[in-house]
Amino acid sequence: MLCLGIESTAHTFGCAVVDRDGKKILSDSRDAYRAPEGKGIHPREASRHHIEVSSEVLRQALEGAGAAMKDIDIIGYSAGPGLGPCLRVGAVVARTLAGFYKKPLVPVNHALGHIELGAMLTGAQDPLALLVSGGHTMILAFSHGRWRVFGETLDITIGQLLDQFGRAMGFASPCGGKIEQLAGESQKNYTQLPYVVKGNDVSFSGLLTAAIRMAEEEKASLSDVCYSLQETSFAMLAEAVERALSFTGKREMMIVGGVSANRRLASMLESACARQESRFFACPITFAGDNGAQIAWTALQDYAATKNKVAVKDASVTQSWRLDTVDVAWRRG
């Protein structure tokens, strides 16, 4: 069974073809909107980008898989959460293809896609999951048919923390890679910043304000500020994850989402897992960011388990679609 997955929640428009029977990604094509330096994603401009590149990205995905639309069994699309104008572009492409080629159409929760693809690629069976990206900072475990939240951000996400700090410094979005690079140039001169963990929840807004002020007032070098920002925010996440591991008794821990590409965060989490005698899994960097494969794989799982699909006329998007409201019929627990 082949699925074409269409991803368009934020800066990336992606298409991928995935084979459920072989658990294999046959192709993965994507193109990302690049904001001007010091600027964030403008939804209208990003959606315009998606419109312009959609046909070429789709062509590359089908060509890369050695398939034509007649070979595709189902079509999955990211129905939320995300930026409204961007989501609607992907939905229009999906509706057009499904209507013209008479293919089943499956809406997919973007956040669930990160977790399910990560589990498929890493082999994690029943992990505590940390989802960290521009739109999410959540600690989750599967129980009674849904992914349950054991901790999350109380304000901005870890991705927003890094991007908003980076944009204030004049970096181009996404800023996580540049911050990681500068942090690596520091002599590990740590300056104390606000550290806010409440139970299993975290808060980054005060940390962001303090880090920007420290950099603008030149109380430390930019590399030292980046180092301190990473150490503080990642330690907050590691503390919350370790507490959740202890509480849930999970023997596996998996990190997914764009920020999972950060090596320092991974090393902190690996240490936390070692103390709790849990195996650590990280989604491969290639698929850490937004991609069509996460949509295709999740759509395949959903359709095989429930035959869930929507009529073309009813295929809508939901900007604030929480992961913990989604029934997951194909998992046990």
Side-chain angles (χ1 to χ4, degrees):
M1 181 179 286
L2 299 184
C3 178
L4 170 67
I6 300 171
E7 157 61 26
S8 66
T9 53
H11 50 67
T12 299
F13 185 88
C15 293
V17 178
V18 175
D19 173 17
R20 180 178 184 274
D21 299 327
K23 290 188 176 182
K24 190 173 182 181
I25 299 171
L26 301 180
S27 68
D28 172 57
S29 178
R30 51 187 116 151
D31 197 304
Y33 164 73
R34 299 296 179 188
E37 290 192 5
K39 303 292 184 181
I41 300 174
H42 193 297
R44 185 183 66 243
E45 296 303 319
S47 65
R48 183 175 296 150
H49 161 271
H50 294 355
I51 293 169
E52 292 172 352
V53 304
S54 58
S55 60
E56 177 61 17
V57 172
L58 173 62
R59 185 193 66 78
Q60 290 175 2
L62 292 171
E63 200 172 82
M69 279 304 303
K70 65 180 177 60
D71 304 313
I72 300 298
D73 296 295
I74 67 172
I75 297 172
Y77 73 100
S78 51
L83 302 176
C86 299
L87 286 168
R88 285 190 284 274
V89 174
V92 167
V93 174
R95 286 197 300 265
T96 302
L97 293 172
F100 186 81
Y101 291 100
K102 304 296 188 291
K103 304 292 183 180
L105 186 57
V106 181
V108 172
N109 181 286
H110 170 85
L112 179 61
H114 274 300
I115 295 176
E116 292 299 334
L117 183 66
M120 187 268 272
L121 292 173
T122 63
Q125 297 296 311
D126 182 29
L128 181 81
L130 174 64
L131 171 57
V132 280
S133 66
H136 303 88
T137 297
M138 306 175 85
I139 301 168
L140 306 116
F142 191 78
S143 178
H144 295 85
R146 289 185 178 180
W147 285 95
R148 310 290 176 172
V149 178
F150 279 81
E152 60 185 322
T153 178
L154 296 172
D155 40 49
I156 60 175
T157 68
I158 184 67
Q160 288 170 333
L161 167 69
L162 298 174
D163 281 345
Q164 289 182 31
F165 174 79
R167 291 201 299 271
M169 299 300 104
F171 304 161
S173 293
C175 306
K178 179 66 173 179
I179 292 171
E180 183 178 10
Q181 175 196 331
L182 288 170
E185 296 172 3
S186 168
Q187 298 302 307
K188 298 187 176 180
N189 298 316
Y190 178 77
T191 301
Q192 188 169 346
L193 289 168
Y195 183 105
V196 184
V197 178
K198 298 182 178 181
N200 251 37
D201 296 329
V202 295
S203 172
F204 294 124
S205 57
L207 171 57
L208 172 64
T209 301
I212 292 175
R213 182 179 297 129
M214 183 188 298
E216 290 178 344
E217 295 177 0
E218 298 183 353
K219 293 181 178 179
S221 69
L222 185 54
S223 61
D224 288 343
V225 176
C226 289
Y227 172 75
S228 301
L229 178 68
Q230 280 200 163
E231 292 297 299
T232 304
S233 59
F234 295 168
M236 290 162 59
L237 291 173
E239 177 190 335
V241 164
E242 186 164 1
R243 186 178 294 112
L245 280 172
S246 178
F247 179 81
T248 61
K250 296 290 186 182
R251 298 275 69 90
E252 297 177 333
M253 186 266 149
M254 178 180 68
I255 181 174
V256 295
V259 184
S260 67
N262 188 289
R263 289 165 293 181
R264 178 55 179 153
L265 175 57
S267 70
M268 283 190 178
L269 293 171
E270 204 162 5
S271 297
C273 288
R275 289 190 292 270
Q276 295 298 321
E277 299 182 346
S278 296
R279 293 183 65 191
F280 175 71
F281 297 91
C283 182
I285 291 177
T286 305
F287 293 99
D290 298 347
N291 60 84
Q294 71 188 73
I295 306 303
W297 176 245
T298 308
L300 280 168
Q301 297 286 87
D302 191 6
Y303 189 74
T306 67
K307 291 296 183 286
N308 175 44
K309 61 181 180 178
V310 293
V312 170
K313 64 182 179 61
D314 298 324
S316 59
V317 299
T318 305
Q319 287 183 251
S320 301
W321 186 12
R322 280 187 63 92
L323 169 58
D324 54 353
T325 67
V326 182
D327 290 323
V328 182
W330 58 91
R331 278 189 172 271
R332 295 181 181 273

